[in-house]
Amino acid sequence: MANSLGKLTKHKFLMMSKDLVSSLPHTQKMTKESFCSLLNRYGRIVVKPSSGSGGVGVMQIISMGKRRYAVHYGKYQKTIQGLLPTYQFAQSKAKGLYLAQQGIKLAKINGRPFDLRVMVQRKRNSEWVVTGILAKVAGSGFFITNIVESKGKALPLRTAVQQASIRRASYDKINQQIHRLALQTVYRLQKYYRIRTVGIDMGIDEQGKVWIIEANFSPDKTYFRRLKDKTMYRRIMSYYYGSR
Ligand SMILES: Nc1ncnc2c1ncn2[C@@H]1O[C@H](COP(=O)(O)OP(=O)(O)O)[C@@H](O)[C@H]1O
Ligand SMILES: [Mg+2]
């Protein structure tokens, strides 16, 4: 069994699955070279601690043209001139192992980006089941969607997809993609980790394509208590306590 719970290690394991490769944002250990080449290539990157949680230390950098870069960090935003000074600024905030990742242009609701929390669980001696999906909408001024850090809110998937700026994809198609990716993610990770409850962060981009952002092994189950309908919350808790 693998003993590293870092995002970089999990990402490497997921990349070995040919069914998942095209849904994983390009990710590398953050160095001057990877930072600059990913930002040149994608025009948008996110840098974050490999073993962070709750959205702490996550920074987004967007290329604005004419060698200007918009840096977004918590509620704080600024523009920096030049790629190297932008890297130096990001590096000055980075403690410990950081990764640089292709940024996903997340779909928005009323101008606020959102992503998804997908719970996949199994009871002892039974199959994996997707027990809950919800959308996390970023709080005002944030690009991260972590509910506590950004004071964001939770919505049912169907409501989010209906209200979002997504072109070309229906709720059914998105829901199908989410289920397929969620199950393939845990099938792959269970080869390396002893797991029964996984909370996967997924993003939907403006074209309706679903991306895997990260897989958490100790996910916050109270997210689902925020939905008016408590069905998913109850199912998640019953799987959780039934799995020991
Ligand atoms: N590659 C990315 N593209 C767009 N948004 C991202 C990306 N990575 C992270 N985010 C945003 O930042 C949030 C926190 O990042 P995440 O990787 O889940 O770390 P944490 O462990 O802190 O939750 C995500 O839920 C998402 O809203
Ligand atoms: Mg997360």
Side-chain angles (χ1 to χ4, degrees), residues 117-123 129-134 196-199 219-225 227 229-244:
R117 171 51 60 87
V118 182
M119 297 293 291
V120 197
Q121 295 174 278
R122 77 176 179 83
K123 292 183 180 169
V129 176
V130 176
T131 49
I133 304 175
L134 60 69
R196 294 236 183 90
T197 289
V198 182
D220 183 348
K221 293 167 291 296
T222 62
Y223 267 23
F224 286 82
R225 211 161 55 196
L227 295 177
D229 181 346
K230 309 290 181 219
T231 316
M232 285 190 231
Y233 177 66
R234 284 194 216 106
R235 182 159 66 218
I236 289 164
M237 297 316 276
S238 104
Y239 266 81
Y240 190 69
Y241 289 107
S243 72
R244 300 153 164 249

XYZ file of all heavy atoms in Angstrom, residues 117-123 129-134 196-199 219-225 227 229-244:
350
model
N -18.528 18.114 -5.425
C -18.019 17.123 -4.479
C -18.796 15.837 -4.746
O -20.040 15.842 -4.709
C -18.232 17.615 -3.045
C -17.924 16.569 -1.964
C -16.566 15.907 -2.108
N -15.413 16.777 -2.049
C -14.795 17.148 -0.930
N -15.246 16.733 0.235
N -13.729 17.913 -0.992
N -18.066 14.802 -5.094
C -18.684 13.522 -5.444
C -18.238 12.482 -4.421
O -17.038 12.219 -4.285
C -18.252 13.085 -6.864
C -18.925 11.779 -7.264
C -18.549 14.194 -7.875
N -19.182 11.900 -3.690
C -18.849 10.891 -2.674
C -18.972 9.501 -3.292
O -19.995 9.182 -3.919
C -19.803 10.988 -1.486
C -19.739 12.303 -0.731
S -18.172 12.561 0.131
C -18.314 11.303 1.402
N -17.928 8.692 -3.118
C -17.967 7.307 -3.577
C -17.608 6.444 -2.378
O -16.599 6.706 -1.717
C -16.961 7.045 -4.721
C -17.296 5.753 -5.444
C -16.943 8.195 -5.704
N -18.438 5.468 -2.092
C -18.236 4.686 -0.869
C -18.518 3.214 -1.117
O -19.229 2.860 -2.055
C -19.190 5.196 0.223
C -18.900 6.634 0.647
C -19.929 7.174 1.617
O -20.992 7.623 1.214
N -19.640 7.104 2.909
N -17.967 2.385 -0.242
C -18.393 0.996 -0.281
C -18.430 0.435 1.134
O -17.678 0.873 2.008
C -17.502 0.157 -1.196
C -16.183 -0.225 -0.661
C -15.448 -1.137 -1.654
N -14.146 -1.464 -1.113
C -13.947 -2.449 -0.234
N -14.945 -3.225 0.159
N -12.741 -2.656 0.251
N -19.335 -0.487 1.320
C -19.401 -1.176 2.598
C -18.500 -2.398 2.503
O -18.147 -2.830 1.403
C -20.844 -1.582 2.907
C -21.740 -0.377 3.168
C -23.146 -0.780 3.545
C -23.962 0.477 3.792
N -25.390 0.222 3.912
N -20.225 2.574 -4.654
C -21.461 3.259 -5.046
C -21.220 4.770 -4.963
O -20.568 5.243 -4.033
C -22.611 2.881 -4.068
C -23.892 3.653 -4.379
C -22.876 1.372 -4.103
N -21.744 5.514 -5.944
C -21.726 6.980 -5.844
C -22.886 7.344 -4.921
O -24.046 7.140 -5.259
C -21.892 7.643 -7.225
C -21.974 9.168 -7.083
C -20.734 7.262 -8.153
N -22.561 7.833 -3.704
C -23.605 8.059 -2.698
C -24.070 9.510 -2.631
O -25.080 9.806 -2.000
C -23.101 7.638 -1.300
O -21.816 8.228 -1.090
C -23.007 6.119 -1.187
N -23.344 10.425 -3.272
C -23.781 11.820 -3.216
C -23.003 12.683 -4.188
O -21.817 12.445 -4.427
N -23.694 13.669 -4.770
C -23.037 14.652 -5.650
C -23.628 16.006 -5.297
O -24.854 16.131 -5.205
C -23.343 14.387 -7.147
C -22.939 12.967 -7.551
C -22.659 15.427 -8.039
C -23.331 12.601 -8.991
N -22.794 16.989 -5.076
C -23.340 18.342 -4.943
C -22.409 19.339 -5.608
O -21.251 19.034 -5.905
C -23.624 18.719 -3.484
C -22.521 18.742 -2.432
C -21.528 19.862 -2.638
C -23.164 18.930 -1.050
N -12.442 3.262 1.830
C -13.868 2.918 1.689
C -14.741 4.145 1.467
O -15.894 4.022 1.093
C -14.381 2.194 2.944
C -13.758 0.840 3.170
C -14.839 -0.251 3.262
N -14.215 -1.519 3.559
C -14.017 -1.957 4.811
N -14.472 -1.255 5.829
N -13.408 -3.091 5.003
N -14.207 5.334 1.769
C -14.952 6.575 1.551
C -14.017 7.547 0.842
O -12.941 7.836 1.359
C -15.401 7.181 2.899
O -16.434 6.378 3.452
C -15.931 8.602 2.728
N -14.416 8.004 -0.333
C -13.593 8.951 -1.086
C -14.488 10.129 -1.501
O -15.606 9.918 -1.963
C -12.973 8.285 -2.341
C -12.074 9.258 -3.094
C -12.171 7.036 -1.964
N -13.995 11.342 -1.295
C -14.725 12.540 -1.733
C -13.933 13.190 -2.853
O -12.846 13.712 -2.624
N -12.943 12.996 3.538
C -13.752 14.139 3.108
C -14.710 14.610 4.203
O -15.134 13.811 5.034
C -14.540 13.576 1.926
C -14.637 12.115 2.194
C -13.357 11.739 2.882
N -15.013 15.888 4.153
C -15.962 16.493 5.085
C -17.376 16.052 4.695
O -17.885 16.441 3.649
C -15.824 18.019 4.973
C -16.719 18.745 5.955
O -17.604 18.097 6.559
O -16.535 19.966 6.109
N -17.991 15.237 5.528
C -19.311 14.697 5.167
C -20.431 15.697 5.442
O -21.533 15.549 4.940
C -19.565 13.385 5.927
C -18.612 12.283 5.461
C -18.594 11.085 6.357
C -17.973 11.371 7.707
N -16.529 11.734 7.639
N -20.125 16.741 6.243
C -21.189 17.684 6.604
C -21.568 18.609 5.442
O -22.587 19.280 5.510
C -20.784 18.546 7.820
O -19.635 19.317 7.457
C -20.450 17.681 9.022
N -20.765 18.636 4.367
C -21.141 19.418 3.177
C -22.573 19.100 2.767
O -23.340 19.968 2.382
C -20.262 19.005 1.984
C -19.009 19.831 1.772
C -18.415 20.547 2.795
C -18.417 19.871 0.514
C -17.266 21.282 2.574
C -17.259 20.600 0.287
C -16.688 21.304 1.330
O -15.562 22.027 1.098
N -22.906 17.811 2.817
C -24.198 17.360 2.292
C -25.359 17.708 3.215
O -26.504 17.682 2.788
C -24.144 15.851 1.993
C -23.342 15.574 0.750
C -21.956 15.519 0.793
C -23.966 15.430 -0.485
C -21.208 15.326 -0.361
C -23.233 15.230 -1.635
C -21.842 15.175 -1.573
N -25.032 18.064 4.485
C -26.094 18.480 5.396
C -26.639 19.843 4.974
O -27.720 20.251 5.373
C -25.522 18.555 6.811
C -26.536 18.229 7.874
C -25.888 17.869 9.178
N -24.983 18.937 9.616
C -24.060 18.789 10.552
N -23.919 17.621 11.154
N -23.281 19.781 10.911
N -27.608 20.683 2.042
C -28.699 20.581 1.058
C -30.019 20.422 1.804
O -30.082 19.751 2.830
C -28.488 19.367 0.146
C -27.263 19.391 -0.766
C -27.162 18.074 -1.544
C -27.327 20.573 -1.732
N -32.660 18.777 0.881
C -33.031 17.364 0.843
C -31.905 16.550 1.509
O -30.776 16.553 1.033
C -33.213 16.964 -0.627
C -33.619 15.515 -0.784
O -33.502 14.738 0.188
O -34.043 15.141 -1.896
N -32.218 15.875 2.603
C -31.176 15.177 3.392
C -30.958 13.727 2.942
O -30.248 12.976 3.620
C -31.536 15.168 4.887
C -31.884 16.521 5.476
C -30.668 17.432 5.585
C -31.072 18.768 6.208
N -30.409 19.923 5.601
N -31.550 13.322 1.812
C -31.432 11.916 1.389
C -29.973 11.498 1.201
O -29.542 10.458 1.694
C -32.195 11.701 0.056
O -33.450 12.355 0.146
C -32.410 10.227 -0.224
N -29.215 12.321 0.472
C -27.808 11.951 0.211
C -27.022 11.948 1.513
O -26.201 11.054 1.737
C -27.168 12.950 -0.755
C -27.602 12.777 -2.189
S -26.560 13.815 -3.239
C -27.765 14.672 -4.154
N -27.273 12.946 2.356
C -26.547 13.029 3.625
C -26.760 11.755 4.434
O -25.808 11.153 4.933
C -27.005 14.260 4.422
C -26.333 14.349 5.761
C -24.955 14.577 5.850
C -27.060 14.190 6.943
C -24.325 14.639 7.079
C -26.435 14.252 8.177
C -25.066 14.480 8.236
O -24.440 14.533 9.453
N -28.011 11.295 4.506
C -28.301 10.086 5.290
C -27.630 8.863 4.669
O -27.092 8.014 5.372
C -29.819 9.871 5.388
C -30.430 10.829 6.378
C -31.857 10.412 6.745
N -32.635 11.625 6.925
C -33.545 12.078 6.069
N -33.844 11.384 4.984
N -34.160 13.202 6.299
N -27.658 8.782 3.336
C -27.026 7.627 2.675
C -25.513 7.630 2.949
O -24.915 6.587 3.229
C -27.305 7.682 1.169
C -26.735 6.496 0.406
C -27.423 6.286 -0.925
N -27.154 7.389 -1.825
C -28.048 7.908 -2.674
N -29.259 7.413 -2.741
N -27.719 8.909 -3.450
N -24.903 8.802 2.843
C -23.458 8.907 3.076
C -23.108 8.456 4.499
O -22.183 7.674 4.715
C -22.987 10.368 2.830
C -23.047 10.677 1.332
C -21.585 10.595 3.384
C -22.979 12.148 0.988
N -23.893 8.914 5.485
C -23.603 8.543 6.870
C -23.824 7.049 7.083
O -23.069 6.411 7.799
C -24.469 9.359 7.848
C -24.205 10.856 7.805
S -22.451 11.304 7.756
C -22.043 11.247 9.462
N -24.839 6.501 6.427
C -25.109 5.077 6.646
C -23.997 4.225 6.024
O -23.547 3.250 6.612
C -26.511 4.699 6.159
O -26.427 4.002 4.938
N -23.490 4.660 4.859
C -22.343 3.946 4.278
C -21.119 4.111 5.168
O -20.359 3.183 5.381
C -22.034 4.478 2.874
C -22.704 3.657 1.806
C -24.043 3.860 1.496
C -22.007 2.656 1.130
C -24.671 3.091 0.535
C -22.625 1.885 0.170
C -23.953 2.108 -0.125
O -24.555 1.336 -1.074
N -20.947 5.314 5.688
C -19.750 5.596 6.481
C -19.717 4.729 7.724
O -18.726 4.070 8.009
C -19.723 7.079 6.848
C -18.416 7.480 7.453
C -17.269 7.517 6.672
C -18.324 7.798 8.802
C -16.057 7.864 7.212
C -17.111 8.154 9.348
C -15.978 8.184 8.560
O -14.770 8.535 9.099
N -20.815 4.694 8.450
C -20.814 3.914 9.692
C -20.995 2.429 9.421
O -20.597 1.606 10.229
C -21.823 4.485 10.688
C -21.312 5.804 11.212
C -21.887 7.008 10.814
C -20.182 5.842 12.015
C -21.373 8.216 11.241
C -19.656 7.051 12.442
C -20.252 8.234 12.056
O -19.730 9.421 12.463
N -21.527 2.099 8.244
C -21.649 0.691 7.885
C -20.343 0.106 7.363
O -20.251 -1.074 7.083
N -19.315 0.958 7.194
C -18.103 0.475 6.518
C -17.025 0.052 7.491
O -15.949 -0.333 7.118
C -17.564 1.561 5.592
O -17.006 2.601 6.349
N -17.283 0.203 8.798
C -16.190 -0.073 9.750
C -16.178 -1.486 10.244
O -17.121 -2.196 10.087
C -16.365 0.825 10.981
C -16.321 2.104 10.530
C -16.857 3.303 10.972
N -16.074 4.269 10.218
C -15.193 5.064 10.766
N -14.964 5.041 12.034
N -14.531 5.896 10.026
